[in-house]
């Protein structure tokens, strides 16, 4: 277990949570089963501009001493390459400076957690371009998140075929919904719906509350160990690989 796990015996565990895996930038502070604060912005600015000021504001508003935080939960991917790097670097920097463990929460699991105890299947979809999505398929059973299909990158039509095969109602959420909703409506034959606006994007509160479960189960890592899960190569890496295939040395 990484150092920094110890906490005060007179209070529940306290987690700082970060999510910059998509267009949304979000910071939250969770103590036990209580959400103390959350700051979420989904408007045009880069995460390098917003994440640290949001963190600073939450610390001030809750009069939190960061040395008393027990761990840092971070959305660990998949998602935007730049956004994941910013979130990862911020979490790693805090973990190293404060000597605290990190809790890596898969992005699509945190998205699914937004719809806690929803009946049927929950399917987060994040736009991965080229008619692909970062996705996973989940259901809730006995108040626990169960994985039907682990997070992956796949074509949206391949995903609809997979869901048709399962023959269960589905609720979609994520920034891939407005991009691929027309295809979903055309291809999907099972009953389905879409999460409302306040639940359909990344939220650090979900990262923090799901991360609390993982933290209590001992699923932590050191700041040095952490790296985001991109699931696939970046565009620059794909283009370089293509050039090497076409012009081998």
């Amino acid at each position: 277990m990484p150092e920094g796990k110890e906490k005060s015996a007179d209070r529940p565990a306290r987690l700082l949570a970060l999510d910059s895996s998509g267009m949304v930038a979000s910071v939250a502070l969770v103590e036990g089963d209580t959400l103390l604060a959350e700051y979420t912005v989904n408007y045009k600015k880069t995460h390098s501009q917003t994440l640290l000021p949001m963190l600073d504001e939450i610390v001030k508003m809750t009069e939190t001493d960061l040395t008393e935080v027990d761990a840092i939960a971070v959305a660990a991917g998949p998602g935007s390459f730049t956004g994941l790097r910013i979130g990862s670097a911020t979490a790693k920097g805090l973990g190293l400076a404060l000597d605290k463990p990190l809790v890596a929460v898969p992005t699509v699991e945190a998205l699914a957690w937004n719809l806690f105890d929803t009946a049927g299947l929950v399917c987060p979809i994040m736009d991965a371009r080229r008619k692909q999505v970062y996705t996973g398929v989940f259901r809730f059973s006995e108040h626990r998140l169960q994985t039907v299909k682990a997070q992956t990158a796949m074509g949206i039509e391949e995903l609809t075929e997979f869901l048709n095969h399962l023959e269960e109602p589905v609720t979609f959420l994520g920034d891939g919904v407005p991009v691929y909703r027309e295809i979903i409506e055309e291809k999907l034959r099972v009953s389905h719906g879409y999460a409302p606006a306040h639940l359909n994007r990344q939220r650090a509160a979900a990262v923090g509350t799901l991360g609390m479960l993982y933290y209590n189960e001992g699923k932590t890592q050191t700041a040095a160990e952490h790296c985001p899960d991109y699931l696939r190569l970046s565009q620059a890496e794909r283009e370089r690989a293509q050039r090497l295939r076409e012009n081998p040395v």
Side-chain angles (χ1 to χ4, degrees):
M1 186 64 62
E3 293 182 5
K5 170 82 167 136
E6 295 82 4
K7 67 179 181 64
S8 173
D10 60 356
R11 66 162 174 80
R14 182 178 296 166
L15 264 62
L16 177 69
L18 310 171
D19 194 329
S20 59
S21 59
M23 294 297 293
V24 174
S26 188
V27 180
L29 187 64
V30 177
E31 185 174 281
D33 58 2
T34 301
L35 174 63
L36 298 179
E38 183 183 28
Y39 193 158
T40 298
V41 174
N42 183 22
Y43 187 75
K44 293 184 180 180
K45 294 187 178 181
T46 64
H47 298 325
S48 59
Q49 293 176 294
T50 57
L51 206 61
L52 287 176
M54 291 162 61
L55 169 59
D56 186 55
E57 188 66 22
I58 276 187
V59 167
K60 289 178 181 177
M61 291 294 289
T62 59
E63 300 177 345
T64 295
D65 181 348
L66 283 178
T67 63
E68 295 180 354
V69 168
D70 297 297
I72 297 99
V74 59
S80 156
F81 287 87
T82 301
L84 287 175
R85 289 189 183 107
I86 291 170
S88 175
T90 303
K92 286 169 74 75
L94 288 168
L96 290 169
L98 300 170
D99 191 23
K100 303 294 182 180
L102 269 58
V103 182
V105 180
T107 305
V108 293
E109 290 185 17
L111 270 167
W113 194 248
N114 281 349
L115 301 185
F116 180 80
D117 265 4
T118 295
L121 301 174
V122 176
C123 185
I125 54 173
M126 300 170 63
D127 183 19
R129 309 293 174 86
R130 300 184 179 186
K131 288 191 176 182
Q132 284 203 323
V133 291
Y134 298 124
T135 188
V137 181
F138 305 90
R139 64 162 57 90
F140 288 92
S141 177
E142 298 181 351
H143 316 300
R144 297 285 295 187
L145 184 67
Q146 295 188 340
T147 301
V148 177
K149 184 175 184 61
Q151 66 176 23
T152 186
M154 65 189 304
I156 185 64
E157 294 190 11
E158 181 184 358
L159 175 62
T160 57
E161 290 176 9
F162 177 79
L163 293 170
N164 283 333
H165 178 73
L166 294 178
E167 298 182 337
E168 295 183 51
V170 187
T171 303
F172 291 95
L173 72 161
D175 61 34
V177 169
V179 179
Y180 299 112
R181 185 164 180 165
E182 185 175 331
I183 294 176
I184 292 171
E185 293 298 325
E186 177 186 351
K187 301 292 185 179
L188 198 64
R189 297 188 300 273
V190 298
S191 174
H192 59 279
Y194 305 92
H198 65 294
L199 297 174
N200 70 5
R201 293 292 190 275
Q202 288 89 341
R203 292 185 59 181
V207 173
T209 53
L210 184 55
M212 184 68 74
L213 291 180
Y214 295 162
Y215 173 80
N216 289 332
E217 294 171 353
K219 297 177 181 177
T220 63
Q221 57 187 190
T222 65
E225 290 171 333
H226 174 72
C227 63
D229 183 4
Y230 298 110
L231 280 188
R232 69 177 193 179
L233 298 175
S234 69
Q235 180 176 348
E237 290 168 325
R238 292 196 302 272
E239 290 174 352
R240 180 177 182 274
Q242 178 66 28
R243 289 196 300 271
L244 289 175
R245 286 194 297 271
E246 294 174 350
N247 301 288
V249 177

